[in-house]
Each structure stands twice: as C-alpha cells, then as structure tokens.
Amino acid sequence: MVVVSRQRQHQRRSWFRLFHRKCAALLFLLITWDLLQPDDDFILSENTETKPIPNIQFTNLNVTVATWNYFPSNRLQSVREPNLTSLINDDYQFCQEFLQAPLPTTLPPKRRTSTGCPTKGILHIQHGDVGGASATIFFQYMIGMLRWAEQHGYTPFVHLNDHSKVVYDTQIHSIGGYTGRFQAGMEIGWARESQDPLGYIFPGKPQLQPNQEELQNNTLFHFKGTGVWEHYFEPVSDLAPNINCSSTPVVTMNFHHILPGLHSQAPWVPHGWRYWMPPYIQRRDLPMSQWLQPQRQNASEIVQRYIRFN
C-alpha cells in the first residue's frame, strides 16, 4: 500500500509538472504572438501615412490655429553627438559625488538680479503629470512650458506642488511656503496646428477665463512647500515669488495642457517616444535619427538658456 501510494504521488507530481510546462509554453506562445502582431497605431498605409489615433476628446477643429512662431529666429549651432567614452571618464566621479550627496533640508539662497514685475504676465510652472519621473518632469515638460513662455512673452516661475508624486518628497518638499499678490482671472487656451487635419490640440494663447469680464488685481496666491525645483536647479528667471505684482496676470497649465497637450500633441516639445501623437508629429516616414535631431536642437536651446544645476 505504501509503495502504491508513493507511485500515485509520483504520478501526480509528474502530471502537475507536465501541466505547468504546457501552460508556460502556451503563455509564452501567446505573448510572442501578441508581440509579433503589428501595432494599429504604427501600421503604414501605401501613402506612408499613419492610421488616425482614436479621438480621446483632445481634438477640436474649432480652436484657434497657431500662427505664432514656435522657435526663435536666432538659432544655435547644431547639437553635437556626445562622446560616450569622454562622458564616462570625465564625469564619473562628479556623478558619483552628486548622487551620494545628502539632500539639504533648507534651500540655499538664490541670487536674483531683479525685483521688478513682468509687464506681460507670469507662467507659474506648478506640476507635470502624476506619474512622470525626473527626466519627464524636470526636462521634457519643463522645456515645453519654458518654450510656451517664450512664445507668448511670459516670465516663467517654477514652484512645483505635490501633484507629480514621483519627484515629490513629502518630508523635505512640504516644508514652508510663502505668498505673493498677483492678478487673477487669466488662463491658457487651446490651439491646433494648421497642417493637422484632425485638430489635435495643445496649449494656446493666454486668455480671460470663461465668464470673466475683467482681471482681479492684488489677488493673494499661496505657494506651499519649497517648490522642489530649487533643491536641484537654479531659478529659471529673476522673478522673486514672494513679491507683490498686483497688476501682473498669472497663468498655469492644467493637467490636460500637460497630458496629452505637451506630452504628445504640442509640435514644439521634444518627444523621447514615437507613439500617442498626431501623424504630422510622429513622421513615421523618417528614420529615428532624423526625427530626433530637430527636437534635440530645440531642447538644447532651452536647456542652455534656463536649466542650470545648483
């Protein structure tokens, strides 16, 4: 009886092993088959145009057509490809020291050369999307918003709140805060590109808020916490946030301006990926290197003008 029982247990174990192996093999085949299938968004038709991206309520042919210049006329030299060996040899020790340095609990004093108020307006950069990590929040979205400020003559000011969870440390970044007085009642509208027949929208011109007949001067604005940005970077402008600019309007981008607006649909924002975007931006007819080069050029200009590590 003992021998029979052990034989049955052995048979059961063998059967379970075989069953698990067959299930694993089937799962592998299903995953492989799915990966080999062409993505509907990337299928090219005979005229090399991508299929339309499904409308997720971010297309509107009735919004303003963007007629302003996305990029300045004074172009910098072409971006040079980095020498990886040189970067590793020269910057390895610096990067190690930078990554191992403790994060200060108080911000170092910043040198601002101006205490005056901007004449046209202020762009308060207050968040990216919820799940974006440091490269997306601190560079891709930041470059897009700084470029928007240049396009419309607004002075940028960065004070990030706790909405972008990945880059926000509650124990450090929630400390302190300040207030300032500015003009309320403006918002950022929507625009579309003239060459886009589908009307994918992105952040447009500043405008009065709906049902707003005039701006409210001397409105109190609250800026909670340290603002995150200046723990790592120099201020992007000379604007002192705690001053009173009671007749200067302040605007900020909402979540939809950022995602999908800046993330996928704004033609002036650099994109590190090639999906979820209008066909005229995606340009599947171009090799990846040619598609990335002008975006890297435009991003390099903004980084050189505004983004400096502490």
Side-chain angles (χ1 to χ4, degrees):
M1 294 295 293
V2 174
V3 174
V4 173
S5 177
R6 288 180 177 176
Q7 288 178 345
R8 288 178 178 175
Q9 289 179 0
H10 179 73
Q11 290 175 352
R12 288 173 183 170
R13 290 172 183 170
S14 300
W15 185 85
F16 277 119
R17 289 194 192 100
L18 179 62
F19 177 75
H20 289 161
R21 289 172 183 171
K22 288 186 175 181
C23 287
L26 179 61
L27 181 61
F28 174 78
L29 289 174
L30 290 173
I31 294 174
T32 305
W33 174 258
D34 182 67
L35 291 175
L36 291 175
Q37 300 310 301
D39 192 329
D40 287 344
D41 286 346
F42 293 159
I43 294 177
L44 300 182
S45 64
E46 293 180 358
N47 60 357
T48 70
E49 293 180 356
T50 56
K51 278 189 172 184
I53 304 173
N55 188 345
I56 52 173
Q57 300 181 350
F58 292 109
T59 61
N60 186 351
L61 290 171
N62 295 321
V63 301
T64 302
V65 175
T67 57
W68 53 90
N69 184 21
Y70 298 141
F71 309 107
S73 57
N74 53 330
R75 310 297 290 172
L76 298 177
Q77 294 181 355
S78 297
V79 176
R80 292 178 296 175
E81 295 296 333
N83 184 314
L84 185 58
T85 303
S86 175
L87 287 175
I88 293 174
N89 293 337
D90 296 343
D91 295 342
Y92 178 77
Q93 183 177 357
F94 170 80
C95 290
Q96 289 299 310
E97 293 175 355
F98 179 81
L99 292 174
Q100 294 173 9
L103 185 67
T105 57
T106 59
L107 291 175
K110 302 298 179 181
R111 292 177 294 179
R112 291 182 169 89
T113 60
S114 174
T115 57
C117 296
T119 57
K120 193 165 186 179
I122 297 169
L123 172 64
H124 172 202
I125 299 175
Q126 66 175 353
H127 59 72
D129 61 3
V130 173
S134 55
T136 306
I137 303 299
F138 293 152
F139 288 93
Q140 193 216 2
Y141 290 147
M142 192 64 58
I143 289 169
M145 287 186 267
L146 292 171
R147 180 69 79 181
W148 182 94
E150 283 193 346
Q151 292 171 9
H152 301 285
Y154 271 51
T155 299
F157 155 60
V158 182
H159 187 97
L160 302 177
N161 56 28
D162 61 350
H163 293 331
S164 297
K165 304 298 184 183
V166 179
V167 301
Y168 191 87
D169 186 333
T170 304
Q171 293 184 348
I172 301 297
H173 299 144
S174 62
I175 299 173
Y178 45 81
T179 60
R181 292 190 177 273
F182 304 95
Q183 199 175 52
M186 292 284 285
E187 67 176 13
I188 297 175
W190 293 98
R192 64 180 178 88
E193 173 59 43
S194 60
Q195 62 177 309
D196 176 19
L198 301 177
Y200 286 92
I201 58 177
F202 47 82
K205 292 182 178 180
Q207 62 187 26
L208 277 173
Q209 294 175 358
N211 304 319
Q212 191 77 40
E213 296 182 357
E214 60 183 15
L215 301 176
Q216 292 85 50
N217 292 335
N218 205 33
T219 301
L220 187 65
F221 284 73
H222 296 270
F223 303 97
K224 297 181 180 179
T226 65
V228 182
W229 178 260
E230 293 182 20
H231 281 283
Y232 318 106
F233 303 94
E234 290 291 329
V236 298
S237 69
D238 290 337
L239 179 66
N242 57 344
I243 64 174
N244 293 327
C245 293
S246 60
S247 59
T248 302
V250 174
V251 297
T252 189
M253 291 193 183
N254 62 36
F255 281 110
H256 289 164
H257 285 130
I258 293 168
L259 182 68
L262 296 181
H263 181 280
S264 304
Q265 301 182 182
W268 69 84
V269 180
H271 305 284
W273 42 82
R274 214 171 183 178
Y275 53 84
W276 296 343
M277 57 183 58
Y280 82 96
I281 294 179
Q282 194 175 83
R283 290 299 304 273
R284 300 293 293 180
D285 58 306
L286 294 178
M288 182 66 76
S289 59
Q290 293 184 22
W291 182 72
L292 286 172
Q293 197 283 329
Q295 299 183 75
R296 295 180 62 245
Q297 172 74 47
N298 298 326
S300 175
E301 293 176 356
I302 291 294
V303 170
Q304 290 187 51
R305 281 201 290 275
Y306 291 99
I307 300 179
R308 293 285 185 274
F309 283 107
N310 278 332

